[in-house]
Each structure stands twice: as C-alpha cells, then as structure tokens.
Amino acid sequence: SFSYLKRLFPSLFNHCHISDFKCETCVMAKSHCVTFPINNNRVDAPFSIIHFDVWGPTPLPKHNGMRWFMTFVDDCTRMTWLYLLKRKSDVCNVFQVFHKMISTQFNTPIKIVRSDNGGEYYKNELTNFMKSVGILHQTSCPNSPKQNGVAKRKNRHLLEVTRSLLIGGNIPSYLWGEALSSAVYLINRVPSSVLNFKRPLDALSHHFTLNFVNHLPPHIFGCVIYVHLHPHQRTKLESRAMKCVFVGYNTTQKGYKAYHPSTKRFFVSMDVTFHEHEMFFPLKTLHSSPQRGCDLEVQNHDRLDQDIKLFDVMPTTTEDGIQDNGDENMEDQIQNNVNENMVEDDSIISPSTSNPLLIQSENNFVEVSPETLTPFHSVADTQNYVSTDIQCNVSSTPNSDPIVSPYT
C-alpha cells in the first residue's frame, strides 16, 4: 500500500499524497463498506421524525394468527409503539391507524418518517397516503440497514428482552406476542442513556399531557397469578379464584393480563393475587436448548392424540356382512409396538439378527443363538440365563476369542 511504500522509500514519496494515485486494481480488490459515524443529534419536537420497521415472520404464529410486528419510534422522546400483524401486506393499514392516533391524541402532524428500502413501503396505496397528508418518506440506500439504525437497534432491544422473558420463565413460544408487548411496556418506563437516563414516557409527558397511559406496577413475567372469579363465573361451592400465568399488561384496560393454558382463555382484571416467588411453568436448566413450539403443553397433547389413534380401531364390515371390531389388527399393532420397544429400549438382539452372539458373564463367554434370546426382554435376564448355562456346562464350553458384545 501507499503507506508502506512511503515508509520504505521516503525520498521517492515524500512529496506525494495518496489522493494523487488512482489505481483501479486497488479499488476493485479492496472495496469495502464505509463506516457510519454515530449521530447523536435529535430533533427537539416530538413526532417530527418517526422511525419505523417491520419484523417477521416468526416461526410460530401467535394464538390469533399474528406472525409479524411493526414498531414506531419517536426520534425526540424514543417512545415506542407496537402493532402486531397477520400479514406483511397490512403495513399500509397499520400506518394509517398510527397516523390517525397521533393526530387525534396529540394534535400534532407527523412530518418525516424513516424506514429501510423494503418493498412493502413502496406500494401505491401507502405512497399516495403519505403524499396526501404531506409526510416526507425517507428511506435508506439498498443493502444499507445501518442508515435505519434507530429502528433496527430498537427491534434488537425488543427481541432480546422478549427472549429473556420467554426463556427465564420457560414460557411457551406461542405467547411471544404477550412477551413482546410486555417488553415494550417496560422499555418505555426504563431510563435510557440516549435521553440522559430519563424515561421515554417522562420525555413525552414533558411535551404533552398523557391521560391514556396506564401506570400499573410491574410484576415478574410468567409468575403465578390468581384471578378472582365473580359469582356468575362459579357456583357457591367452587373455588373463588383461578390459577393462571401472568402474561403482561393491557393497553386499553387498566388491568393485568392472565392466561389459563387448560382453557386457552385470557383474563384482564385488577382483582388478582400474585405469587412472584413461583413460576407457572416448571423451570429448565439454562444449559438445555429451548424447545420450539408450545413446549411441554403441546407435547403432552400430541402424546394423548397418538394414544387415542393407536387404540381407536373402527369396526369394519366383511363381505358376509359380519362386523369385525379389529381385535386382531389391534393385537398385531400392540405386538409390533412391543417388538419396537424391545429393539429401542435395552434390547439384546433384534428379530432380524440371524448370527449367534457371544455374551459375556463373569469373565466367561458363551455362544447364544437368536432363538434362545427371543423370550428375554432385558440385559439382566440374558446374563442370568448365560450364567446358569455356563455353570452347568463349564467343561463343554468351547475356547474362543474374547469378543465382548456391545450390549453388555
């Protein structure tokens, strides 16, 4: 490079500058992305610049079919709004809802919006709506997500908190929407270093009066919560509360959100009792890999379905008009399952084995045929049989090479 040549031959390159050399080979061989300096400049008025982004799809949909989410971040106060989407094509409708909410609640127009270069933002409907209300849409260059850094970092922060809530409480993955909403609720109420350790909610309240914000004390996500049952929800002799899992805070009602996995019902109420020292779902070790899907609840449900399908034999009708209840098919299926369990679980020999095995017992070896091992189901039964046979026929045992069976 030029710096090395200038150091090696200072007399030749003493009066030269790197800008004097135009090497096409060096440009094509050493091209790289430029660095983006950190920009700490923020606007003074809320909603002058809004950063927004779309994330998804999630591997497992929410209970109501949501697979995407869209975030809006105010550049001045760093206040975050979250919207869950079923389809990525719902971006235009959600943006119109957000714009109408800001105009109604704060009586302030949105001037500039910033996003990445995604194709969902270039649809005619969304573009025409922004032009009709006078919003300037600024986008990043292609393949330059760093230019939309505020929204990208906010999504990363939200996902990190969401994963921590799900893993820390061993929460099933289908409750990711509730965990994400709780993450937004908490982040808006936590001091931020960008705001000189002020809370985004306090920064927004400095400019506007917030009459719609719920100020509920936070609790541990995933803990046990007992929801009070009113007289029309129970009889006089039934329990007066239902044990549920705490899954967050409601945005339109002043109450805590609880979920009952057995009935798959959500409750929003202030008549609750928290047991924050107890988690609803049993905790796993941190080193174990998290299960995908609905974890233990879905696994138990699938096992129950398999058991029902295994023994649910429908009666069939033969050519003579006689019903066959399928008992023989059931017995054959049960016998096949038993044989499979023998091969997979602590078995000695599979039915397909034809050659005899050499089984070790107390430093002795004996040749045993597969037909002899058929009635045995475990290693212990086979070793007892081999030990008895060796004691009765010690003198007749042939000499063989010490080959140890892999099953001992």
Side-chain angles (χ1 to χ4, degrees):
S1 63
F2 175 78
S3 60
Y4 285 102
L5 292 176
K6 188 175 182 179
R7 183 176 293 272
L8 293 175
F9 307 100
S11 58
L12 296 178
F13 300 96
N14 190 20
H15 302 285
C16 298
H17 193 265
I18 190 173
S19 60
D20 299 334
F21 298 92
K22 307 294 182 183
C23 179
E24 182 179 1
T25 302
C26 295
V27 173
M28 299 182 64
K30 302 179 182 180
S31 177
H32 58 275
C33 296
V34 298
T35 58
F36 288 86
I38 299 177
N39 185 9
N40 295 323
N41 297 327
R42 293 185 293 111
V43 295
D44 298 331
F47 309 116
S48 297
I49 299 178
I50 295 292
H51 307 266
F52 70 102
D53 192 24
V54 179
W55 181 92
T58 179
L60 187 69
K62 199 171 173 283
H63 58 87
N64 53 2
M66 302 295 183
R67 300 195 63 178
W68 304 75
F69 72 83
M70 189 173 181
T71 53
F72 296 91
V73 183
D74 179 35
D75 187 79
C76 177
T77 63
R78 289 300 194 267
M79 192 72 180
T80 306
W81 288 268
L82 172 72
Y83 291 87
L84 300 179
L85 313 177
K86 285 187 177 181
R87 296 171 297 273
K88 199 175 184 179
S89 58
D90 298 337
V91 170
C92 181
N93 297 332
V94 171
F95 184 86
Q96 294 180 15
V97 171
F98 175 75
H99 176 266
K100 188 65 176 179
M101 186 269 295
I102 296 299
S103 301
T104 304
Q105 299 296 329
F106 302 98
N107 196 21
T108 301
I110 299 176
K111 298 180 181 179
I112 301 174
V113 293
R114 291 178 179 175
S115 67
D116 56 19
N117 200 38
E120 64 272 12
Y121 309 124
Y122 287 97
K123 293 185 177 181
N124 294 330
E125 185 179 0
L126 181 59
T127 303
N128 295 334
F129 174 78
M130 291 185 180
K131 291 180 179 179
S132 63
V133 295
I135 296 178
L136 179 61
H137 185 199
Q138 298 177 351
T139 61
S140 61
C141 298
N143 302 319
S144 301
K146 294 182 288 296
Q147 291 183 338
N148 193 30
V150 175
K152 296 297 182 182
R153 287 193 299 270
K154 181 62 67 173
N155 284 354
R156 185 184 69 177
H157 189 193
L158 291 175
L159 291 174
E160 289 175 351
V161 177
T162 301
R163 281 191 294 266
S164 300
L165 294 177
L166 294 176
I167 297 174
N170 195 24
I171 309 299
S173 301
Y174 62 84
L175 293 175
W176 67 269
E178 283 69 27
L180 183 63
S181 301
S182 300
V184 174
Y185 181 89
L186 297 174
I187 290 175
N188 285 335
R189 290 159 176 80
V190 172
S192 174
S193 59
V194 180
L195 304 174
N196 295 325
F197 295 97
K198 294 181 180 179
R199 302 191 308 169
L201 201 61
D202 296 337
L204 184 61
S205 63
H206 181 73
H207 299 273
F208 302 98
T209 301
L210 305 180
N211 297 323
F212 61 91
V213 178
N214 292 333
H215 297 280
L216 296 175
H219 292 275
I220 297 177
F221 188 86
C223 69
V224 173
I225 179 175
Y226 292 90
V227 180
H228 174 71
L229 297 178
H230 296 277
H232 68 277
Q233 297 174 322
R234 56 178 170 83
T235 62
K236 293 184 178 181
L237 298 180
E238 291 181 343
S239 60
R240 300 171 64 89
M242 179 179 291
K243 184 179 181 181
C244 302
V245 52
F246 173 62
V247 292
Y249 317 84
N250 195 280
T251 56
T252 58
Q253 295 174 318
K254 190 174 182 179
Y256 295 101
K257 197 172 182 180
Y259 177 68
H260 191 247
S262 300
T263 59
K264 298 182 179 181
R265 295 177 57 191
F266 285 89
F267 300 90
V268 179
S269 176
M270 285 295 294
D271 301 326
V272 295
T273 302
F274 287 95
H275 282 188
E276 296 186 274
H277 64 280
E278 179 184 1
M279 304 302 290
F280 186 88
F281 296 99
L283 297 178
K284 300 181 297 185
T285 58
L286 296 178
H287 299 284
S288 61
S289 59
Q291 300 179 3
R292 300 180 63 180
C294 301
D295 296 342
L296 188 59
E297 180 184 348
V298 173
Q299 286 186 2
N300 294 335
H301 181 70
D302 294 341
R303 291 174 183 173
L304 180 60
D305 290 343
Q306 293 177 1
D307 295 339
I308 294 176
K309 292 178 182 179
L310 177 61
F311 296 101
D312 188 11
V313 181
M314 300 299 294
T316 57
T317 306
T318 61
E319 297 179 357
D320 300 334
I322 302 175
Q323 284 189 350
D324 183 12
N325 293 328
D327 294 339
E328 295 181 358
N329 295 332
M330 185 188 300
E331 293 179 358
D332 295 340
Q333 191 171 4
I334 294 175
Q335 184 63 33
N336 293 335
N337 292 334
V338 172
N339 294 335
E340 291 178 0
N341 292 333
M342 289 176 56
V343 175
E344 296 176 359
D345 186 15
D346 207 17
S347 61
I348 299 303
I349 193 170
S350 61
S352 60
T353 306
S354 58
N355 297 327
L357 294 177
L358 294 177
I359 307 299
Q360 180 184 9
S361 180
E362 298 180 358
N363 300 326
N364 293 309
F365 303 90
V366 62
E367 190 176 88
V368 182
S369 62
E371 294 79 5
T372 308
L373 297 179
T374 300
F376 302 109
H377 298 270
S378 64
V379 176
D381 295 340
T382 307
Q383 289 182 347
N384 293 335
Y385 170 80
V386 173
S387 301
T388 305
D389 186 74
I390 291 176
Q391 293 177 1
C392 298
N393 304 283
V394 174
S395 57
S396 60
T397 303
N399 295 328
S400 59
D401 296 332
I403 302 176
V404 181
S405 172
Y407 299 97
T408 57

